Amino acid sequence: MRSYGFRFIAVLVLLLLITVVKPSYAQHGKTGSWGDQGNGFYKNPILNADYSDPDVIRVGGNFYMVCSDFHFMGMPVLKSTDLVNWTIIGQVYHRLDINEKYNTMQKYGSGSWAPSIRFHNGLFYVYFCTPDEGLYMSTASDPAGKWSPLTEVKRTGGWEDPCPFWDDNGQAYLGHSRLGAGPIIVHKMSNDGRHLLDSGMTVYNGPVAEGTKFYKRNGYYYLIIPEGGVGAGYETALRAKNIYGPYERKVVLEQGKTAVNGPHQGGLVELQSGESWFIHFQDAGAIGRITHLEPVKWVDDWPLIGIDNDNNGIGEPVSTWPKPKVNGSRAITAPQTTDEFNSTKLGLQWQWNHNPDDSEWSLSSFKGYLSLTAMHAVDNKHARNTITQKLMGKYGIITTLLKTDEMDIGQKAGLCLLGQNIHEIGLFKTASATHLFVNNNGKISNGKVINEDHIFLRIIVNLNTNHTILQYSLDGHSFYQLGDECILANSNYWKAVRPGLFSYNVDQGSGTALFDWFHYQYDGPLGGL
């Protein structure tokens, strides 16, 4: 140290100063082909997964998001500190006890449609409609939960996409659309958000007007809504000086010359820095409605969402863009996927297909395993307690280890892709043997007899080349394809194709499948590929 003297110290101080003043884009996790790129930029989609009909709010320095999940239980709550990196922190509900058909596997495409999330007087509020039963809400002081039991605000069919709004004078309102979609209707509401006070007033009719979202800014009431339909729609801003209108109209986001079809339906949020941003979905086929983030510029009190590439006054989606301006460095994160099943609580990424029977699954009966006890069903689509999570990215490798010790005659168990088409690979136990099988959308192929007490099952998903295959292994190293390639459906009861674990019995209600772990590698942030 003495030989360098003052010069060394000066250089060291200079380096420290550079480190302090230089923006920090430290890569705390592996980047992928989408989301946070680790260099101060993000690449859309920020979530290449089926977080359909997203809504987002900011509370302090944190952002919270919810999405529709239809017949899958229950609605996830996600948290971010920069609008790009998200993790799941809770679920609003565990089941829907509002119609017996949610117990009998007859509500595909129903359940929670587009929700809204708001924060008012220290409480978080989530509202959603089901197409047949009504309008529901839940509250929590902590968005991670515990959320209150669902309140049925209105028993009615045919409503969709509700959003509450508390005005500056404390008066509460609720806006919603009707299946079809439209018109936009506004009701007065009790301050606690539990009761509608009138029959509502129609404030806007438009082409497939839905996704009602209320905001107030600079003396204007805004309704930021999607129009034009799921696959080819656009985002519209309505504004008025009175909440009941009359409303002016302006299209503020469209596909334009980009590859992002139907960029619409989402949530607008303002940062502490003064920036505004908009989160919306894009219908992308088998992977569902993926999530994009757009910058927002206010021009004459109208939001311009995205970037106006052709100077027509309407924004278009961005591809790669600087991240939102928030204080400090942010770690690269992603919604949870892989699960070792070593906890006594189910991971927040998991969602049951329809209502679960909680007496027939466990994380404690066989320590270190998820146990799924088979109930009688003719096939997977009618089987209770199939547990799923969202498909992540266009390329992924999904692997699980199934133990066979507790299986019974007539039982089928394994790994699946669940959607309009069903693709299964697993074991079928008969009176004479336990053998491999695949069910590829009704085409069943039987494999070898399995005498071991375990089997490794794998699905390799490649939506880039439409090359998705089912594999098995006895040692966890050498995997072999069984059956044909899978043709994944692009329309799946408003949801995406989902990976899942299943256990049902075609003869009787008996037998238990033991899943040791579930590993998921994919092409996005922290995905490992």
Side-chain angles (χ1 to χ4, degrees):
M1 181 64 127
R2 292 177 182 174
S3 62
Y4 290 99
F6 177 78
R7 180 177 296 178
F8 178 86
I9 295 173
V11 171
L12 180 61
V13 171
L14 180 60
L15 289 172
L16 289 172
L17 286 173
I18 291 173
T19 301
V20 170
V21 300
K22 183 180 178 180
S24 177
Y25 303 126
Q27 183 174 322
H28 301 286
K30 184 180 182 300
T31 60
S33 61
W34 44 273
D36 197 326
Q37 297 300 290
N39 59 359
F41 289 77
Y42 70 90
K43 185 175 181 180
N44 272 320
I46 53 168
L47 288 172
N48 203 3
D50 188 34
Y51 288 93
S52 54
D53 305 312
D55 192 27
V56 60
I57 58 170
R58 177 182 64 83
V59 179
N62 297 316
F63 304 93
Y64 301 98
M65 183 169 67
V66 292
C67 67
S68 58
D69 264 322
F70 293 76
H71 48 278
F72 294 108
M73 309 291 157
M75 184 185 295
V77 181
L78 292 89
K79 179 181 178 180
S80 174
T81 55
D82 63 2
L83 287 174
V84 175
N85 295 283
W86 295 88
T87 55
I88 307 170
I89 61 168
Q91 291 186 353
V92 177
Y93 58 86
H94 178 64
R95 57 189 301 114
L96 291 175
D97 291 317
I98 56 177
N99 189 320
E100 178 60 23
K101 290 183 178 180
Y102 289 103
N103 295 324
T104 56
M105 313 302 295
Q106 295 175 278
K107 295 298 284 184
Y108 284 97
S110 295
S112 61
W113 284 31
S116 59
I117 182 170
R118 291 294 183 266
F119 183 73
H120 175 68
N121 280 352
L123 280 180
F124 291 85
Y125 291 77
V126 166
Y127 285 76
F128 66 91
C129 289
T130 65
D132 303 315
E133 292 85 19
L135 166 65
Y136 298 90
M137 62 85 73
S138 178
T139 63
S141 56
D142 182 344
K146 186 178 181 179
W147 286 82
S148 67
L150 292 178
T151 293
E152 188 172 84
V153 181
K154 176 75 171 178
R155 187 75 177 186
T156 183
W159 286 17
E160 65 175 9
D161 304 1
C163 181
F165 175 75
W166 285 266
D167 209 345
D168 300 332
N169 62 4
Q171 177 62 57
Y173 299 89
L174 183 121
H176 67 88
S177 184
R178 290 187 180 274
L179 268 65
I184 304 297
I185 299 169
V186 175
H187 302 259
K188 280 190 175 181
M189 184 172 66
S190 62
N191 189 261
D192 63 4
R194 294 174 178 269
H195 306 281
L196 300 182
L197 303 180
D198 57 32
S199 59
M201 178 181 293
T202 296
V203 300
Y204 178 74
N205 282 282
V208 197
E210 52 186 348
T212 313
K213 294 292 183 294
F214 264 121
Y215 306 93
K216 192 174 185 180
R217 185 180 189 273
N218 289 349
Y220 282 105
Y221 296 90
Y222 289 90
L223 284 167
I224 310 295
I225 64 170
E227 292 188 295
V230 170
Y234 45 87
E235 195 71 15
T236 295
L238 308 172
R239 73 178 188 186
K241 288 293 186 176
N242 186 292
I243 197 167
Y244 293 112
Y247 279 90
E248 304 173 83
R249 177 183 182 271
K250 180 176 173 56
V251 176
V252 293
L253 176 66
E254 63 180 1
Q255 177 175 350
K257 295 182 179 179
T258 74
V260 182
N261 58 291
H264 72 320
Q265 186 133 355
L268 180 71
V269 65
E270 292 193 357
L271 275 60
Q272 291 171 312
S273 64
E275 291 182 343
S276 294
W277 293 82
F278 184 69
I279 281 181
H280 66 90
F281 75 68
Q282 173 199 4
D283 187 1
I287 197 174
R289 288 179 278 170
I290 60 181
T291 311
H292 290 245
L293 176 65
E294 310 293 348
V296 177
K297 180 181 179 181
W298 289 90
V299 180
D300 298 327
D301 283 323
W302 286 107
L304 190 151
I305 300 175
I307 184 169
D308 185 3
N309 290 312
D310 55 7
N311 295 314
N312 69 345
I314 303 174
E316 298 176 12
V318 302
S319 177
T320 301
W321 200 257
K323 291 174 58 179
K325 291 181 181 178
V326 295
N327 294 326
S329 175
R330 296 295 184 266
I332 294 177
T333 62
Q336 302 89 310
T337 52
T338 289
D339 199 331
E340 301 296 333
F341 299 130
N342 288 329
S343 172
T344 57
K345 293 184 178 180
L346 201 57
L348 295 171
Q349 66 269 39
W350 293 107
Q351 294 176 288
W352 301 99
N353 178 17
H354 286 66
N355 282 342
D357 183 336
D358 289 327
S359 68
E360 303 293 355
W361 72 273
S362 177
L363 285 165
S364 57
S365 296
F366 298 85
K367 189 175 180 180
Y369 294 89
L370 170 64
S371 65
L372 298 179
T373 298
M375 290 171 277
H376 179 256
V378 295
D379 56 29
N380 199 322
K381 188 161 288 188
H382 296 89
R384 298 191 70 181
N385 283 16
T386 294
I387 191 167
T388 74
Q389 59 175 266
K390 297 180 188 299
L391 204 62
M392 293 281 284
K394 289 192 172 183
Y395 181 69
I397 301 172
I398 305 162
T399 312
T400 191
L401 174 58
L402 170 63
K403 295 279 285 183
T404 66
D405 308 66
E406 303 296 324
M407 290 184 66
D408 203 355
I409 294 171
Q411 186 180 1
K412 292 185 173 183
L415 182 65
C416 68
L417 290 173
L418 181 65
Q420 180 70 44
N421 302 339
I422 291 181
H423 311 275
E424 301 170 303
I425 182 166
L427 298 179
F428 180 30
K429 185 166 184 175
T430 67
S432 58
T434 300
H435 59 79
L436 277 162
F437 83 99
V438 294
N439 176 8
N440 204 333
N441 192 29
K443 184 179 180 180
I444 298 175
S445 302
N446 291 320
K448 63 190 296 183
V449 171
I450 301 299
N451 295 314
E452 289 79 3
D453 65 355
H454 67 275
I455 188 78
F456 296 86
L457 304 171
R458 173 172 288 178
I459 299 176
I460 300 179
V461 177
N462 192 333
L463 300 180
N464 295 309
T465 62
N466 293 320
H467 181 78
T468 295
I469 57 175
L470 311 174
Q471 296 183 323
Y472 72 93
S473 172
L474 295 178
D475 61 9
H477 299 289
S478 299
F479 282 83
Y480 304 94
Q481 182 176 340
L482 185 61
D484 298 332
E485 291 185 14
C486 304
I487 306 300
L488 305 187
N490 287 323
S491 179
N492 299 280
Y493 310 107
W494 296 110
K495 294 305 295 171
V497 174
R498 287 186 171 220
L501 302 172
F502 67 90
S503 171
Y504 60 94
N505 196 308
V506 296
D507 294 335
Q508 58 191 330
S510 65
T512 300
L514 301 178
F515 294 94
D516 195 350
W517 42 257
F518 179 97
H519 293 169
Y520 195 167
Q521 297 172 281
Y522 59 92
D523 59 8
L526 304 187
L529 293 179

